[in-house]
Amino acid sequence: MKITEQEVKYVADLANLQLSAEETARMAHDLDGILSHIDKLNELDVSGVEPMSQVLYDSGETDTLREDLIEPSLDNQTALANAPLSGAGQFKVPKIIER
């Protein structure tokens, strides 16, 4: 096994997740399967494959991307109009990270 349950617990703690022993074992198994698949992919010979700088290709008329247009952005008052809580020209959100 490449991923230990201790490593899963460590990462879960970093993500502020509380996993049961069963969930920890399942995550370790699943992550190990993912890493095994990546190992198989690393065995492929890609020496003749050119690196891609863009996954989209120049498709001419069938291109579904829109043109980049410079448009005015929202003013502060409009951006905050539907905010549940705002103040001092900013969105106010509750604190969610606690330890």
Side-chain angles (χ1 to χ4, degrees), residues 80 82-98:
L80 296 173
N82 291 322
L85 186 60
S86 64
Q90 302 172 359
F91 291 97
K92 289 188 175 183
V93 295
K95 182 179 179 179
I96 57 169
I97 300 176
E98 296 179 11

Side-chain angles (χ1 to χ4, degrees), residues 70-90:
I70 299 174
E71 296 180 4
S73 60
L74 296 175
D75 63 273
N76 196 284
Q77 188 176 22
T78 305
L80 296 173
N82 291 322
L85 186 60
S86 64
Q90 302 172 359

Side-chain angles (χ1 to χ4, degrees), residues 15-86:
N16 203 20
L17 298 173
Q18 296 178 353
L19 300 177
S20 67
E22 180 182 296
E23 291 171 322
T24 302
R26 191 181 80 232
M27 291 295 164
H29 178 266
D30 291 349
L31 289 171
D32 188 50
I34 292 168
L35 289 177
S36 295
H37 182 70
I38 290 172
D39 283 343
K40 286 181 184 178
L41 291 175
N42 285 333
E43 293 174 4
L44 292 174
D45 178 22
V46 294
S47 58
V49 178
E50 290 288 323
M52 295 175 64
S53 61
Q54 178 56 269
V55 295
L56 299 175
Y57 56 92
D58 188 17
S59 58
E61 292 181 16
T62 61
D63 193 359
T64 58
L65 299 178
R66 65 174 173 79
E67 293 290 324
D68 270 340
L69 301 174
I70 299 174
E71 296 180 4
S73 60
L74 296 175
D75 63 273
N76 196 284
Q77 188 176 22
T78 305
L80 296 173
N82 291 322
L85 186 60
S86 64

